[in-house]
Amino acid sequence: MNLFAVFNRDGGTFRTTDMDAYCARAAETFKAAGHEIECHVVSGKDVVATMEKAASTTGVEGLIAGGGDGTISAAAGIAWKSGLTLGVVPAGTMNLFARSLRLPLDIWQVLDALADGTPENIDIASANGKSFVHQFSAGMHARMVRYRNSMTFASRLGKIRASTRAAIGVMFNPPEFEVEFNAGGKIGHRKVSAISVSNNEFGRDPLMFADSLTGGHLGFYVADPLTPAGVARLTFDIMRGRLKENAAVTAMTATELELHFPRERHDIRCVIDGELLPMDRDVLLKIHAGELTVLVNKPQERVTQERDGSGI
């Protein structure tokens, strides 16, 4: 396969990595497996443009992307729209997409897994046309990311500390807002503190990522208006892998979901794969089953029906 690799030198683990040595190892590993590869190490601001260059280069068959969840999400969208095979090098803090793909989380070990990997078709989702591989969320998560982004941190540990402080801030000041939804014909109107829509259902891991990305559906989760004590109980249940068992949470699945926020709100925000973005009052979310090709070293578990869902 003819591959084009883009590594975000500002992303997580790569900040403290000898990138010349890493690129040499990548070239050696992929060529030994019979691939041709061209490696590019770029700053964060140039990552998307460089990946788009790969998509427009004649003869390129696969995009190897290295960085945090934001970099990987952007790479997935580019690969999806251009028909390239995507290889994921997890160099970020959480690496949630790589966890769902069951890839090694060590940036050196993953090179061997990808070089010997097998292309597999998995699902990708979109919100008003913007792709995501992990999650769209509004409410508590968006407020937490906004709090975290207002803090200064320069390392992975610093980001974790900032996230913890932000989470505590949200616990004592949870949002409350109205939403109307249509999830495959199931219609509702309610007040909530949080909304989460995932690319396939979350598994039971406290980090909240999908066990498989081949089920062909969105996971849809809403949390009733919460008090600080309610946020604490929800956090405790998430840590125990019991998100769906929490009394305030309603979970279901759908292939298409319409959200409408009836009240005009100033500076409304959502989070898409970790990135804080402006949010429209009307959001259409879709699953695109089997439309993204990725390199994996272990086949995905095939999921054909909802597990542990509560319904609306």
Side-chain angles (χ1 to χ4, degrees):
M1 191 179 295
N2 187 7
L3 303 171
F4 192 109
V6 181
F7 300 131
N8 182 356
R9 69 181 175 211
D10 298 327
T13 310
F14 284 153
R15 293 180 183 176
T16 55
T17 299
D18 182 338
M19 293 308 296
D20 288 336
Y22 190 78
C23 283
R25 171 69 179 278
E28 176 186 350
T29 302
F30 279 97
K31 287 181 180 179
H35 304 288
E36 293 295 325
I37 188 167
E38 182 179 324
C39 294
H40 297 261
V41 179
V42 299
S43 63
K45 65 182 179 65
D46 296 323
V47 164
V48 171
T50 307
M51 293 191 298
E52 288 175 340
K53 175 183 175 182
S56 63
T57 300
T58 302
V60 171
E61 300 169 279
L63 172 63
I64 307 297
D69 285 328
T71 296
I72 301 305
S73 180
I78 291 169
W80 172 46
K81 292 177 180 177
S82 60
L84 297 179
T85 296
L86 176 67
V88 175
V89 176
T93 304
M94 306 301 288
N95 303 309
L96 298 169
F97 187 46
R99 292 175 190 272
S100 288
L101 296 177
R102 298 191 182 91
L103 290 170
L105 299 182
D106 180 89
I107 61 172
W108 299 90
Q109 294 176 6
V110 77
L111 294 176
D112 295 304
L114 294 175
D116 295 327
T118 302
E120 182 170 17
N121 295 330
I122 64 165
D123 306 338
I124 188 169
S126 66
N128 285 353
K130 180 176 174 57
S131 64
F132 63 95
V133 292
H134 174 56
Q135 177 184 221
F136 164 96
S137 60
M140 287 197 303
H141 187 205
R143 181 167 290 184
M144 189 195 79
V145 173
R146 180 183 290 183
Y147 286 173
R148 187 191 67 197
N149 289 354
S150 69
M151 304 174 192
T152 301
F153 52 88
S155 66
R156 182 176 183 273
L157 183 58
K159 184 176 181 179
I160 292 172
R161 288 173 176 166
S163 296
T164 301
R165 290 172 58 196
I168 293 172
V170 172
M171 179 179 294
F172 288 101
N173 186 29
E176 181 177 325
F177 56 99
E178 289 185 60
V179 63
E180 298 172 1
F181 61 83
N182 183 342
K186 296 179 180 178
I187 298 172
H189 179 187
R190 58 199 295 179
K191 289 185 177 180
V192 299
S193 279
I195 294 171
S196 178
V197 184
S198 57
N199 176 14
N200 285 269
E201 288 180 278
F202 291 138
R204 290 187 172 272
D205 191 283
L207 292 180
M208 295 173 60
F209 58 87
D211 290 335
S212 173
L213 298 174
T214 61
H217 56 246
L218 302 166
F220 178 37
Y221 308 86
V222 292
D224 295 336
L226 296 170
T227 63
V231 177
R233 285 192 294 270
L234 176 59
T235 302
F236 180 63
D237 283 339
I238 289 173
M239 295 301 294
R240 296 191 301 157
R242 295 183 177 180
L243 167 67
K244 295 178 186 177
E245 283 86 347
N246 182 274
V249 172
T250 305
M252 64 182 297
T253 60
T255 57
E256 187 169 303
L257 172 65
E258 297 176 44
L259 301 177
H260 172 67
F261 301 93
R263 292 194 177 183
E264 188 76 40
R265 297 166 62 214
H266 175 66
D267 195 28
I268 184 170
R269 298 279 173 161
C270 65
V271 175
I272 297 180
D273 284 348
E275 183 180 6
L276 188 67
L277 298 169
M279 183 171 68
D280 296 330
R281 290 180 66 190
D282 293 284
V283 183
L284 175 62
L285 299 114
K286 297 181 179 180
I287 195 76
H288 305 275
E291 293 190 13
L292 177 64
T293 305
V294 294
L295 289 173
V296 298
N297 63 330
K298 186 181 296 184
Q300 287 274 297
E301 176 188 354
R302 297 288 158 177
V303 179
T304 57
Q305 61 183 5
E306 180 185 1
R307 296 174 301 180
D308 302 322
S310 63
I312 286 277

